[in-house]
Amino acid sequence: MKKSARKKNFWHWAGIALAMAMGLAIAGQGLAQDRNHIKKTAADPQRPAYHFLPVKNWMNDPNGLIQFNGDYHLFYQYNPNGASWANMSWGHAKSKDLVHWERLPVALLPDQPYDRYGVFSGTAVNDSGTAAVIYTCISSPDFRKEGQCLAQSRDMVRWEKYSGNPVIAAPPRGLRTVGFRDPYVWNQDGRWNMVVGSGIRDRGGAILLYRSKDLRVWEYAGPVAVGDIRKNGRMWECPSFFQLGKKWVMIVSPMTGRTIYFVGDFKDDKFSPDFQEELDLGGSLYAPQVFKDDQGRSVMFGWLKENYWLASRRGWQGVQTLPRVLTLGADNRLNFEPAREVESLRGKKFRLEDIKAGPGSGGVIKEAKGDALEIFAEIEVREAAQAGIKVRASPDDSEQTLIYYDRAGERLVVDRSRSSRDPAAKTPMRSAPFKLAEGETLKLRIFLDRSVVEVFANSRVVMSSRIYPARADSLGLELFSTSGTMRVKSLDIWEMTPIW
Ligand code: DQQ
């Protein structure tokens, strides 16, 4: 080798070594900062212990849910620089079991002219062994220029944005749309289908359908569904559209803080819903996404928003739900169960059987308490007007959260009105339609995780709420009923194992 070539070679390798050393130093610094942050936040009584959330900063919608080469991947809307909504990027984590997560480097940053104002929500698919994500790319500072973009990866860590982005530059011409975002993509009979959340001016929310052979060239196939502006909002965000048995389910988030779903038929590019229903009336869930895993389960994650004014000061905001498995009940309504993997978090167990509890008697559970618990209660409601359980109660009851069945009102109630004496907590009472059949017992499955409460009632209704008790001793549990005695057939309580 000539001397000049040797010299060039030396500087080449020296440059690479220096860059690697600097990279390691920066990453090391990042890790040390993360460790410090974890230490600081471990003492934060609002920070969940067994739900997914990033080390720090802002998180909202789950994105790109997929099982790829055996691992579950969860991407999410993330602000790498702060605890408020901004700089939308895709954070990333993976898991073997949907429950224990490994946090990975940020997958997509807003770093291209076509997405510099935001890498918004989208989905992931397996394109013959290559992972592909399709997301909304925002190219104007008012977030109004919304296109759909493609990125690919072989190892799920290094992501390459497609050079021909955006693959869809703008909403279809001739349609007076309100918004154009959150592509949901699936493969059917060898063709790619995409639905995009939108709205048609003065008419209501709309879901637009596209088709493609290669994820790059897309053809518009018309609106697959159009809502009614008076009933379900002017624009629909974050659609999930999938088959369950013989039916199709469409879940949308209509920008009103609610999330609704429709069950119906999908034929000739048109979705005809049989009915509309609220997905989760707990007051905290928004922008959920559903994906099919290798076991054929339809699994959902959703963003649990904060209901706390001062949340950004803690250095983090936003939590994901536990993984929920969706099935269709006999009446074609959605049924919900936490994925069975969640049971792997169960630790120390406490069980009671056959307890009669009436107003003011026999209810206090002295043997168990806590803020990271799973509770399963099977209750014969009998003469009680309201029957359920009080959680996160302080010894003097000044803080308490009630979860109960309201027999006359035929509702499931999560009463957060006294959950916290901190005025920054905005947690009104919530309730959802729910009726027990003649002779049916109430089966309440409750997950408490610091500021998270997820309640499943007889697998038919689910309510996700956030609560922010201010007292360190708001940990008590009590069986709760009014105007009559109920019988608790069994009560199981598990301490849940932290995942972080
Ligand atoms: N969040 C994303 C959008 C989506 C909204 C932006 C829903 O893509 O419409 O962070 O929460």
Side-chain angles (χ1 to χ4, degrees):
M1 199 190 285
K2 274 195 187 152
K3 202 171 159 195
S4 64
R6 272 207 308 272
K7 211 164 151 189
K8 219 164 137 192
N9 225 0
F10 169 80
W11 285 114
H12 172 76
W13 289 111
I16 289 180
L18 184 68
M20 277 172 70
M22 276 170 63
L24 283 175
I26 291 167
Q29 225 178 34
L31 283 178
Q33 274 173 7
D34 282 357
R35 270 198 298 271
N36 279 342
H37 193 84
I38 289 169
K39 247 196 235 158
K40 210 171 84 194
T41 52
D44 177 349
Q46 297 182 357
R47 196 169 161 84
Y50 63 92
H51 282 72
F52 177 80
L53 75 174
V55 168
K56 57 186 176 196
N57 297 336
W58 168 276
M59 171 177 72
N60 54 296
D61 322 345
N63 293 153
L65 299 173
I66 191 170
Q67 192 174 11
F68 191 77
N69 294 336
D71 286 334
Y72 290 102
H73 291 264
L74 162 68
F75 300 86
Y76 50 90
Q77 288 286 281
Y78 180 58
N79 177 3
N81 306 328
S84 303
W85 187 92
N87 314 306
M88 277 301 107
S89 307
W90 277 33
H92 185 194
K94 71 173 181 181
S95 167
K96 291 264 177 244
D97 64 0
L98 291 167
V99 168
H100 298 88
W101 294 96
E102 182 188 340
R103 297 184 180 110
L104 295 170
V106 173
L108 300 171
L109 284 163
D111 54 7
Q112 299 297 316
Y114 53 76
D115 65 12
R116 59 187 284 226
Y117 293 101
V119 174
F120 275 17
S121 289
T123 35
V125 292
N126 186 338
D127 181 16
S128 316
T130 301
V133 299
I134 297 92
Y135 64 95
T136 295
C137 32
I138 305 288
S139 56
S140 69
D142 62 1
F143 310 113
R144 286 198 179 172
K145 278 201 174 156
E146 301 167 299
Q148 316 311 328
C149 284
L150 169 71
Q152 287 163 303
S153 173
R154 287 200 169 274
D155 60 5
M156 300 299 272
V157 175
R158 280 161 303 192
W159 289 88
E160 202 171 309
K161 292 183 185 169
Y162 173 51
S163 57
N165 272 340
V167 290
I168 305 178
R173 275 165 196 254
L175 211 58
R176 293 167 62 230
T177 52
V178 185
F180 181 58
R181 56 182 173 274
D182 312 330
Y184 185 87
V185 179
W186 74 99
N187 195 294
Q188 207 175 343
D189 307 325
R191 264 196 316 184
W192 294 108
N193 296 261
M194 177 200 292
V195 285
V196 184
S198 187
I200 297 178
R201 209 165 288 283
D202 305 325
R203 279 187 67 193
I207 297 298
L208 311 179
L209 179 66
Y210 288 81
R211 291 249 163 66
S212 170
K213 284 195 202 114
D214 58 3
L215 297 171
R216 288 161 181 76
V217 180
W218 291 91
E219 238 171 67
Y220 179 53
V224 68
V226 182
D228 176 341
I229 200 161
R230 288 158 307 174
K231 280 200 210 139
N232 40 40
R234 55 194 287 272
M235 194 260 153
W236 289 346
E237 298 185 302
C238 296
S240 279
F241 189 42
F242 54 98
Q243 207 169 351
L244 261 189
K246 290 201 172 83
K247 288 294 194 180
W248 280 77
V249 179
M250 181 176 280
I251 299 177
V252 299
S253 295
M255 291 185 80
T256 47
R258 299 151 58 203
T259 298
I260 53 178
Y261 76 88
F262 309 86
V263 177
D265 300 301
F266 179 41
K267 234 195 261 153
D268 302 329
D269 295 350
K270 291 276 175 261
F271 176 59
S272 338
D274 301 335
F275 60 88
Q276 165 189 331
E277 186 113 306
E278 301 282 339
L279 187 83
D280 180 324
L281 281 165
S284 301
L285 180 107
Y286 195 67
Q289 188 174 96
V290 176
F291 75 108
K292 277 239 154 65
D293 79 350
D294 289 354
Q295 298 168 45
R297 298 182 294 183
S298 294
V299 182
M300 188 194 102
F301 281 88
W303 167 35
L304 296 179
K305 295 179 287 179
E306 302 293 336
N307 301 132
Y308 189 69
W309 279 353
L310 303 177
S312 67
R313 291 200 194 159
R314 298 175 315 208
W316 62 275
Q317 291 206 67
V319 185
Q320 297 296 330
T321 58
L322 291 173
R324 276 178 203 171
V325 177
L326 272 42
T327 49
L328 275 191
D331 55 358
N332 275 343
R333 287 324 208 232
L334 280 184
N335 280 359
F336 312 89
E337 288 280 6
R340 64 178 177 287
E341 287 89 333
V342 173
E343 293 171 19
S344 69
L345 297 174
R346 290 173 174 173
K348 199 168 132 202
K349 182 179 171 181
F350 166 76
R351 183 177 167 90
L352 279 179
E353 277 172 37
D354 194 16
I355 321 148
K356 292 209 180 54
S361 74
V364 180
I365 303 157
K366 295 196 196 80
E367 299 83 347
K369 60 179 178 181
D371 60 1
L373 302 174
E374 178 187 342
I375 301 167
F376 178 70
E378 186 172 0
I379 299 173
E380 284 170 7
V381 175
R382 296 192 173 177
E383 318 87 71
Q386 300 173 324
I389 186 158
K390 183 194 289 179
V391 300
R392 302 298 309 272
S394 59
D396 65 357
D397 263 352
S398 64
E399 289 191 334
Q400 54 173 281
T401 301
L402 295 172
I403 300 162
Y404 62 86
Y405 174 57
D406 174 0
R407 192 151 55 101
E410 296 179 350
R411 295 189 85 79
L412 178 70
V413 179
V414 179
D415 184 355
R416 309 180 292 174
S417 56
R418 282 175 290 167
S419 293
S420 175
R421 53 179 197 185
D422 180 346
K426 286 287 291 170
T427 53
M429 178 168 176
R430 304 289 311 189
S431 74
F434 174 58
K435 185 174 165 41
L436 286 175
E438 193 61 42
E440 189 183 10
T441 54
L442 169 66
K443 295 188 196 72
L444 283 180
R445 196 158 169 204
I446 301 168
F447 293 88
L448 301 183
D449 192 5
R450 312 270 180 79
S451 57
V452 172
V453 183
E454 287 185 78
V455 183
F456 296 77
N458 297 47
S459 309
R460 296 202 290 276
V461 174
V462 61
M463 292 177 75
S464 316
S465 294
R466 304 293 303 275
I467 54 167
Y468 306 91
R471 292 177 53 152
D473 59 357
S474 292
L475 301 169
L477 300 172
E478 188 176 336
L479 297 167
F480 164 79
S481 68
T482 60
S483 335
T485 307
M486 64 178 183
R487 174 173 171 251
V488 179
K489 286 178 78 174
S490 62
L491 172 71
D492 294 290
I493 301 170
W494 293 267
E495 284 175 9
M496 296 297 262
T497 317
I499 58 168
W500 308 112

